Amino acid sequence: MDQVTQQNAALVEEMSAAASSLKGQAQDLVGVVSVFQLGAGAAPAQRALQLI
């Protein structure tokens, strides 16, 4: 049981790091594509960053 708990804790830590990395990549992507103008109805890049 203790080994399973340790494995679960390691997986949680790994998933947390992966999620943090993905969030950073998504923020970078928003910055890269924010140079494109999509029209009056499009959400500004800052709004998109708040959604992440």
Side-chain angles (χ1 to χ4, degrees):
M1 178 84 149
D2 189 43
Q3 183 181 6
V4 172
T5 301
Q6 289 175 352
Q7 288 174 340
N8 284 343
L11 287 172
V12 168
E13 188 175 333
E14 185 178 336
M15 290 301 108
S16 176
S20 179
S21 175
L22 184 58
K23 180 179 180 180
Q25 291 175 18
Q27 289 171 331
D28 291 345
L29 183 58
V30 167
V32 169
V33 300
S34 68
V35 299
F36 298 104
Q37 300 295 320
L38 301 176
Q46 289 300 322
R47 174 70 178 129
L49 278 173
Q50 292 173 352
L51 297 175
I52 298 176

